[in-house]
Amino acid sequence: MLLSYLLSIAATVTHVKCAINEAAFASADIINKDVAIIGGGASGTYAAVRLREDLNKSIIVIEKDNRFGGHVNTYFDPVSKASIDYGVLAYLRYGNSAAFFERFNIPITPFVPQSGGQTTYVNSADGSLLSSYTPPSFPAAAAAIAKWVNVTSQYTDHLLPGLWNFWSPSKIPSDLLLPFGEFATRYGLQACTEILTEISNVGVGGLKDVLTLYVYFAFGQPVSQEFLDADLFMPKGLSNSELYNRALNLLRSDVMLQSQVVSSERTNSGVKLVVQGPNGHQKLIKAKRLLFTPPPSLDRLAPFDLDAKEKAPLTTWTGTWSFAAMARIPAIPGANTTVLFTSPSATPAKYLNIRDMPFTLSLASANQASPSEHLFEVLFATNYSISYADAKAAITAAVGKMTSSHGAFANATDKSVEFVAFNDHNSVLWRQSPAQLKSGIVQDIYSLQGRRSTWYTGGLWSEDYTGNVWAFTEDLLPRMLKGI
């Protein structure tokens, strides 16, 4: 129902580029603020709280959904009465993360996986049991991650909390421009590949050719070190959505839910935004600064009338299509089970090949629910454009292969797949070529910060973990507020 609603909004919204006529708005429909924030995900929520509550700035948050949280997804199971997280699962202690939970009186505890268990490796080509694949032992994988941390520690000052201090184009370390397959072979990191990809989801379609720089963006120092130290955390006795529920309740008077910008004017002295709400009514937002938090793709930025200087670097992103879901799959044992689709070219132990396939799919049992429910967390991603409906169909087809006569679960009698929750996490990625990096594309993209009173935060501007995003946002706020 939510998807249908959002599609109907998208179908009725027209992005207008003509000058905004203030006289067309009643005085009650004109809102003046210091900062207008687009998006109520991790970075938008953090920025809104810090700006209004701590930095004494007036704000308005414009969120297209009916909730805060972005990629934080929680399914309430009516059978077990359990709240099951299936988007963001854990948090880094990096930066201000623990303190942000504390300010909302949310206790935290060390992260313990709430799903999965023994892993069954399934041939991604035909759904058969990939019995000839031998996964790395955990000690071998941990040792390889420790090597990764050691080798990449020298780059931290240039890559954290964002790319403000990125090397000049001629000074980028050559190791970071190597395909990861070459880098991993050079430093003996092959055994970390499975854990690295499961945590970060990097390398959909093949990991070996992804530049090492982009693997670092996906699995950098904070997350890799905290994984080794078992320092990740989660809310204690509460879902991951609770933080965002409480933040929304705090900020509600300055939030426009189920709303989208339909036209804008941006200058060096401020911005004007025409925002359409769920009932079609429009309001005019006038703000000194605009903070854009979703992935900065051209389609998401269409209402903001980008100029040529803005469009040029933003056309260099690469799209990624990923989905998080909960589904009932009776064919698979309902407790302590993870099914990981794996490329057959990874056998017997060619770990760098595990993602040599056009999609990734993992199914992990939701152990908070009764095993008889056969409830699974589903993570699916492709390296090609795929619709919401086609993603569901592809997952169902993959399960069908597993339950065929030669499949890993050939003895299953109930081969159905019932989706009880489904969300897309589609985005864009850094995948620019070495030549583009050496031509200054990082600097070109970062030069957009502050242009026409517009600033950007979110997972494309730092490593895409909540702790990293909050740390980047914290670093950005004084830059954005300078002069107001």
Side-chain angles (χ1 to χ4, degrees), residues 398-414:
V399 172
K401 288 183 178 181
M402 288 196 307
T403 57
S404 67
S405 59
H406 63 270
F409 299 95
N411 294 327
T413 55
D414 187 341

Side-chain angles (χ1 to χ4, degrees), residues 102-117:
E102 183 179 349
R103 78 179 295 158
F104 286 99
N105 298 313
I106 295 177
I108 61 175
T109 189
F111 172 65
V112 177
Q114 302 297 297
S115 60

Side-chain angles (χ1 to χ4, degrees), residues 114-161:
Q114 302 297 297
S115 60
Q118 183 174 347
T119 300
T120 298
Y121 296 90
V122 171
N123 186 324
S124 62
D126 62 11
S128 63
L129 184 66
L130 202 63
S131 56
S132 57
Y133 175 71
T134 303
S137 68
F138 183 80
I145 293 174
K147 286 183 184 178
W148 164 258
V149 170
N150 182 59
V151 170
T152 60
S153 61
Q154 61 187 302
Y155 307 129
T156 301
D157 290 345
H158 294 276
L159 300 174
L160 293 172

Side-chain angles (χ1 to χ4, degrees), residues 71 294-300 314-322 425-432 459-461 464:
H71 289 177
S297 57
L298 291 180
D299 59 334
R300 290 180 175 90
L314 297 179
T315 61
T316 65
W317 302 122
T318 294
T320 179
W321 295 268
S322 59
H425 290 183
N426 298 344
S427 186
V428 290
L429 300 170
W430 289 88
R431 289 296 183 268
Q432 292 84 348
L460 266 291
W461 303 90
D464 194 12

Side-chain angles (χ1 to χ4, degrees), residues 231-446:
D231 217 15
L232 302 171
F233 73 87
M234 58 192 284
K236 183 177 181 179
L238 297 167
S239 76
N240 284 327
S241 293
E242 184 60 25
L243 173 73
Y244 295 94
N245 294 339
R246 296 185 186 188
L248 176 57
N249 287 335
L250 173 70
L251 300 169
R252 192 172 294 275
S253 61
D254 291 311
V255 175
M256 299 177 69
L257 294 176
Q258 297 177 310
S259 300
Q260 294 190 69
V261 175
V262 296
S263 66
S264 65
E265 291 180 9
R266 297 180 299 125
T267 69
N268 291 334
S269 58
V271 301
K272 297 178 182 178
L273 309 173
V274 177
V275 180
Q276 182 168 301
N279 59 0
H281 186 71
Q282 294 186 347
K283 294 188 177 185
L284 175 63
I285 311 297
K286 300 170 69 175
K288 298 171 185 175
R289 299 287 187 271
L290 172 65
L291 181 59
F292 189 87
T293 72
S297 57
L298 291 180
D299 59 334
R300 290 180 175 90
L301 285 163
F304 297 91
D305 194 19
L306 301 180
D307 62 27
K309 180 177 172 61
E310 293 167 320
K311 285 181 179 179
L314 297 179
T315 61
T316 65
W317 302 122
T318 294
T320 179
W321 295 268
S322 59
F323 302 83
M326 296 296 299
R328 291 192 171 91
I329 309 175
I332 307 174
N336 299 311
T337 301
T338 293
V339 175
L340 190 62
F341 281 70
T342 303
S343 171
S345 66
T347 59
K350 298 175 183 176
Y351 303 129
L352 290 169
N353 293 352
I354 61 173
R355 292 207 156 186
D356 286 357
M357 51 192 185
F359 71 94
T360 63
L361 175 60
S362 67
L363 311 168
S365 57
N367 292 329
Q368 306 97 309
S370 167
S372 62
E373 289 191 70
H374 297 274
L375 192 59
F376 286 82
E377 175 195 350
V378 181
L379 299 176
F380 175 75
T382 69
N383 67 344
Y384 56 88
S385 176
I386 186 169
S387 70
Y388 192 96
D390 286 346
K392 283 186 173 182
I395 295 166
T396 302
V399 172
K401 288 183 178 181
M402 288 196 307
T403 57
S404 67
S405 59
H406 63 270
F409 299 95
N411 294 327
T413 55
D414 187 341
K415 303 180 180 184
S416 64
V417 177
E418 178 194 358
F419 293 101
V420 296
F422 203 93
N423 294 86
D424 82 70
H425 290 183
N426 298 344
S427 186
V428 290
L429 300 170
W430 289 88
R431 289 296 183 268
Q432 292 84 348
S433 68
Q436 288 174 304
L437 292 166
K438 291 178 180 179
S439 296
I441 188 61
V442 173
Q443 288 78 8
D444 291 344
I445 289 173
Y446 263 66

